[in-house]
Amino acid sequence: MNGLVHGAVYGGVIASVLLTTIAFGIWFERKFAGRMQSRLGPTIVGPFGLLQSVADVVKLLQKEDIVPRDADRPLFDLAPVLAALFSLGVAAVVPFSPTIIASDLDVGVLYILAVGGLMVIPTFMAGWASNNKFALIGGMRAIAQSVSYGVPLVLAVLVPVILSGTLSVSGIVTYQANHHWFLTWPVFIGVPAFAIYYMAMLAESNRIPFDIPEAESELVAGVTTEYTGAKFTLFYMAEYVHTLVGSAVGAALFLGGWDGPFAPGLHWMVLKTLVLFTVVYWVRWSLLRLRSDQLMVLCWKWLTPIGVLLVLGAAAWVQFVPGGFQ
Amino acid sequence: MNESDGKRRLPRYDEAALAYEHPLYKTLLAAPGLSVSVAPLDLLLSWGTMNSLWVFPMATSCCGIELMSAAASRVDLDRMGTIVRATPRQADVMVVAGTITVKMAPRVKLLWDQMPEPKWCIAMGSCAISGDFYRELYSVVPGIDTFLPVDVYIPGCPPNPEALMHGLLRLQEKVKLARAGQLVAKEYPPNRLDITKPSIARLSDPARDPALSAAQEKSAGEATATDESDERGGGNASAVEPFAAETTSTDVEALLRELGVTEFPKDGAPIVPVEQHVTLARRLRAMNYRIFVHVVATHFPEKTGAKAAPERFEVAYALRSVGSGSKIASWRLSLATGQAAPTLVGVFAGADWQEREQFDLVGVRFDGHPDLRRIMMPGNWEGHPLRKDYPADKACTPWR
Ligand code: SF4
């Protein structure tokens, strides 16, 4: 019972903080994109354009709610809700500080992989239910993509699990706090594993160069082509939440989470998460989109074999290097 | 609707915009006591809408370039929260930037209908406003306000990005006033130089005949439904024989003489007998003239008087040789009314669409063409617009 109350309170707080962060995250991305293209980004709405996302949401909620005549109504309505739910759900096991964690699951890593992997379901659901060719193609691409990035993602996440000997995310962070961040030591395993994780995370949250299901230049707006107003808002936010939470997971698994010099705690976790989050947008506004087949080649021919090698390397490290595993 | 003067009036668009309300908002208005809260809520709602006008770019020609540059670094529409969405479902403002043709108009209408309320339309550039200098052309819609309710007109050819920004600011004003319950004065299209009288009443014109709106709806539906230009018809391109073996001769004039051409006019290509046409093309192709440059048909109407001549058609062909020192070979066919030209599709694959275009616009038939259908005009178009006797200003009722 205690755990339930704890989970509800912390979960509620974390979710609302995340959603607020997202509003400013979107503002930040637009500013950032603007600066990268020597524009200004939002400046007029509120100080420095800070209220831009608020205005967008107010506008979107007022729009007419259109459901295509031939759409599969229940699925069509359910998909955005599920997308928001799953993307927020991952945050439940992420330790934001030694004490701020909604639920310290023993199998936290497994939970992250499972719930994060579920994200593809609402995406395909939306594509299928819209009864629109662009949405459907987008949905099918999402499935093909998830099959490809899923394997390297799991392999990359296995590395910190093996190195620390625990499946609990806060356990992994504690281990790193007591020893080394996995990014810094063993560096020849940690850095490539982190790189693979980061790429797979980009693919999971549909960000350029892997935004193949949304591919604006080919598929209009991909799976969200038929969504208007409030439902589109949910999708839009889910995407950003997913990116943010994915960055937080990456920070926890590889960058030592809340660990840092001077005073370990929340601020280090937030800082690391936001740095990773910013890099996502740096990448997004610099690179081009890969084709579906290029993504498959990348995932199956490169990331997966390298991931297998890294898992073997991590196991060997733990087994044979003195002090590799305490 | 104002029935008092006996004429049905189309609703002024501003009233229609006020008419749409989100169901939740309506509930709020209906609930006793809660309606007091509507005034501050209105402020919030109009603030949100004003500051987040997402654009659906209906950019069909040169004005579209200005629309694009308005989103780029100099003007940067993102400053006021305006971004471009590729799907009409998530857009608030349709910016029609460019010439809208009769074939395009039903598609524009279709996309407009897909946008969720509340929505607005901006006519950017004189083409969208009135058809510009193309307005008397058979295929151009004389102003999009004949079939879309336009909120803001941005004159110019093209209007510069700053003008588009100004237009959006004006739209913001309108949104604000409309939400505050004040009727916004109807925007009228900017004055045109009155070279010709407007040939069609606009949507906002009180004198507009309601039958016209109905006819336009119907015609738009038909143009979309019966336009089969994407489907391939019958016929079989592979039935045409392959071309003759290569020869080394390069003397086009000798070849023409051999095929029975005797006159070589100084001011034009020689006229070749219709029977020799395909042979000539084959032999030329064998002589390395491999690029099919064009086929252009011209209509010469019947002449009376001193220089009396019957109606005829001339079809001019041009080929280009490949490699260095590239040369052009050209010739003409002269056809009587109703006579068909043999197709060149079997010799040059590139002739396919070009011959279709000439068939569509001039009405010359090409014998043996595998797929002779209209390519430029809607499938249910009547007549051939580039014939001299084609009545240009009556071309496509009810758009004009
Ligand atoms: S108004 Fe001028 S610039 Fe704009 S589309 Fe027409 S011709 Fe081009």
Side-chain angles (χ1 to χ4, degrees):
Chain A
M1 197 57 218
N2 206 4
L4 203 61
V5 172
H6 174 97
V9 171
Y10 274 77
V13 170
I14 290 177
S16 18
V17 170
L18 274 182
L19 289 177
T20 321
T21 317
I22 283 312
F24 294 103
I26 295 174
W27 166 83
F28 176 73
E29 190 212 336
R30 282 168 78 166
K31 275 295 207 197
F32 189 75
R35 291 307 159 103
M36 285 192 70
Q37 301 169 343
S38 64
R39 293 187 287 117
L40 290 176
T43 54
I44 294 177
V45 194
F48 309 108
L50 266 172
L51 297 181
Q52 186 57 57
S53 307
V54 183
D56 283 344
V57 171
V58 170
K59 190 273 314 257
L60 281 167
L61 292 184
Q62 288 178 68
K63 296 293 275 187
E64 185 184 2
D65 181 27
I66 296 182
V67 179
R69 193 190 55 215
D70 295 334
D72 191 335
R73 184 74 198 245
L75 288 187
F76 189 81
D77 292 348
L78 194 60
V81 180
L82 284 188
L85 212 61
F86 290 153
S87 60
L88 276 174
V90 177
V93 294
V94 179
F96 288 92
S97 87
T99 45
I100 305 179
I101 175 168
S103 165
D104 191 1
L105 275 188
D106 290 344
V107 288
V109 171
L110 213 57
Y111 172 85
I112 288 177
L113 289 175
V115 178
L118 274 182
M119 261 310 268
V120 73
I121 306 268
T123 310
F124 186 66
M125 207 185 243
W128 178 263
S130 302
N131 207 342
N132 173 308
K133 60 186 164 202
F134 298 116
L136 184 59
I137 295 174
M140 309 221 306
R141 285 185 182 188
I143 294 275
Q145 182 171 338
S146 89
V147 172
S148 315
Y149 68 69
V151 179
L153 180 66
V154 171
L155 290 173
V157 169
L158 268 186
V159 169
V161 169
I162 294 175
L163 289 177
S164 64
T166 168
L167 269 174
S168 142
V169 185
S170 61
I172 293 179
V173 175
T174 315
Y175 180 89
Q176 293 184 76
N178 294 339
H179 300 87
H180 284 289
W181 299 1
F182 292 137
L183 192 68
T184 57
W185 191 253
V187 66
F188 39 88
I189 298 177
V191 169
F194 175 68
I196 293 180
Y197 171 81
Y198 203 74
M199 277 193 247
M201 193 234 357
L202 286 181
E204 194 182 61
S205 46
N206 290 341
R207 287 295 172 216
I208 284 177
F210 305 117
D211 70 332
I212 299 166
E214 212 195 297
E216 282 196 346
S217 44
E218 303 149 31
L219 296 184
V220 187
V223 287
T224 57
T225 302
E226 290 286 359
Y227 281 89
T228 59
K231 291 175 195 160
F232 170 67
T233 316
L234 279 180
F235 257 119
Y236 195 56
M237 298 221 302
E239 225 171 53
Y240 279 86
V241 171
H242 200 135
T243 319
L244 186 64
V245 174
S247 308
V249 172
L253 292 185
F254 293 94
L255 302 187
W258 38 259
D259 178 43
F262 316 120
L266 181 63
H267 52 282
W268 283 114
M269 182 64 181
V270 170
L271 186 69
K272 288 170 189 172
T273 306
L274 290 184
V275 167
L276 290 189
F277 189 65
T278 309
V279 175
V280 172
Y281 293 106
W282 188 2
V283 170
R284 176 175 180 184
W285 291 97
S286 315
L287 295 186
L288 301 172
R289 181 184 314 120
L290 291 186
R291 282 197 320 259
S292 252
D293 59 320
Q294 289 168 331
L295 172 84
M296 313 242 171
V297 167
L298 179 73
C299 284
W300 288 111
K301 289 197 181 159
W302 296 99
L303 299 190
T304 304
I306 295 176
V308 172
L309 284 183
L310 289 175
V311 168
L312 291 178
W317 177 269
V318 167
Q319 193 64 30
F320 301 118
V321 177
F325 184 68
Q326 281 91 359
Chain B
M1 298 285 143
N2 183 353
E3 308 272 352
S4 58
D5 54 358
K7 242 182 210 157
R8 192 183 73 119
R9 286 205 178 161
L10 277 165
R12 289 175 26 169
Y13 185 66
D14 305 309
E15 293 163 34
L18 279 180
Y20 174 79
E21 278 309 342
H22 198 277
L24 267 180
Y25 187 85
K26 273 194 238 160
T27 324
L28 208 63
L29 275 185
L34 273 184
S35 51
V36 189
S37 68
V38 160
L41 184 66
D42 272 346
L43 279 183
L44 177 72
L45 294 185
S46 66
W47 172 80
T49 314
M50 266 169 57
N51 286 309
S52 157
L53 293 169
W54 291 1
V55 160
F56 180 74
M58 194 63 242
T60 56
S61 29
C62 7
C63 275
I65 304 296
E66 302 298 313
L67 174 59
M68 287 172 222
S69 64
S73 43
R74 259 203 77 158
V75 175
D76 189 13
L77 291 183
D78 197 15
R79 281 188 297 152
M80 51 188 282
T82 294
I83 52 173
V84 173
R85 290 300 303 179
T87 161
R89 292 266 193 253
Q90 288 145 23
D92 310 294
V93 190
M94 177 184 259
V95 176
V96 183
T99 328
I100 300 299
T101 59
V102 169
K103 197 171 177 180
M104 192 70 187
R107 274 90 175 160
V108 177
K109 183 82 166 59
L110 189 70
L111 285 165
W112 168 257
D113 291 340
Q114 302 310 307
M115 286 168 58
E117 293 280 355
K119 56 188 172 186
W120 296 272
C121 177
I122 291 184
M124 178 182 180
S126 17
C127 279
I129 293 172
S130 66
D132 202 8
F133 33 70
Y134 313 115
R135 63 178 283 111
E136 302 303 333
L137 205 62
Y138 59 92
S139 58
V140 170
V141 171
I144 58 160
D145 53 0
T146 53
F147 67 101
L148 286 186
V150 175
D151 289 279
V152 174
Y153 295 88
I154 308 178
C157 179
N160 54 11
E162 290 83 351
L164 176 60
M165 188 98 177
H166 185 156
L168 280 165
L169 290 174
R170 216 173 145 69
L171 184 60
Q172 286 194 337
E173 254 167 56
K174 248 186 127 165
V175 171
K176 194 157 137 195
L177 291 177
R179 174 61 82 181
Q182 304 173 20
L183 269 186
V184 192
K186 183 74 207 165
E187 301 261 333
Y188 282 104
N191 285 335
R192 271 174 289 107
L193 289 178
D194 203 10
I195 299 170
T196 49
K197 260 179 47 213
S199 47
I200 191 161
R202 305 309 163 111
L203 226 49
S204 54
D205 192 339
R208 183 177 158 110
D209 181 7
L212 180 64
S213 302
Q216 276 188 355
E217 289 267 324
K218 185 161 164 285
S219 141
E222 278 170 2
T224 312
T226 59
D227 178 4
E228 289 154 355
S229 50
D230 292 343
E231 290 162 30
R232 226 181 140 75
N236 185 0
S238 60
V240 192
E241 310 155 40
F243 62 92
E246 305 246 346
T247 62
T248 46
S249 159
T250 51
D251 190 351
V252 178
E253 197 173 316
L255 173 62
L256 285 168
R257 281 186 202 287
E258 187 191 325
L259 292 176
V261 178
T262 48
E263 279 178 57
F264 291 90
K266 289 257 177 318
D267 57 348
I271 292 188
V272 172
V274 175
E275 321 77 72
Q276 301 292 4
H277 171 56
V278 179
T279 321
L280 173 65
R282 286 223 170 95
R283 300 272 298 265
L284 281 172
R285 171 151 187 174
M287 284 159 61
N288 201 23
Y289 286 90
R290 296 194 168 224
I291 300 174
F292 187 83
V293 182
H294 65 226
V295 43
V296 180
T298 318
H299 174 219
F300 294 94
E302 185 181 357
K303 272 194 204 143
T304 48
K307 288 180 168 182
E311 179 187 44
R312 69 193 179 90
F313 294 88
E314 237 174 48
V315 190
Y317 292 83
L319 304 182
R320 179 186 274 278
S321 65
V322 290
S324 62
S326 167
K327 284 184 297 238
I328 296 265
S330 59
W331 71 97
R332 288 180 288 171
L333 301 181
S334 181
L335 305 174
T337 315
Q339 197 184 354
T343 182
L344 288 191
V345 175
V347 192
F348 296 97
D352 184 343
W353 284 15
Q354 296 212 27
E355 288 182 351
R356 271 177 71 186
E357 182 179 343
Q358 297 311 312
F359 163 72
D360 187 358
L361 299 178
V362 190
V364 173
R365 299 195 61 85
F366 291 87
D367 254 357
H369 191 289
D371 188 28
L372 201 59
R373 286 176 297 124
R374 287 196 183 275
I375 184 170
M376 312 288 269
M377 312 309 299
N380 58 352
W381 193 268
E382 276 169 27
H384 302 281
L386 292 192
R387 286 202 182 187
K388 299 287 189 303
D389 51 5
Y390 189 80
D393 57 338
K394 299 235 169 28
C396 190
T397 51
W399 298 99
R400 158 181 317 274

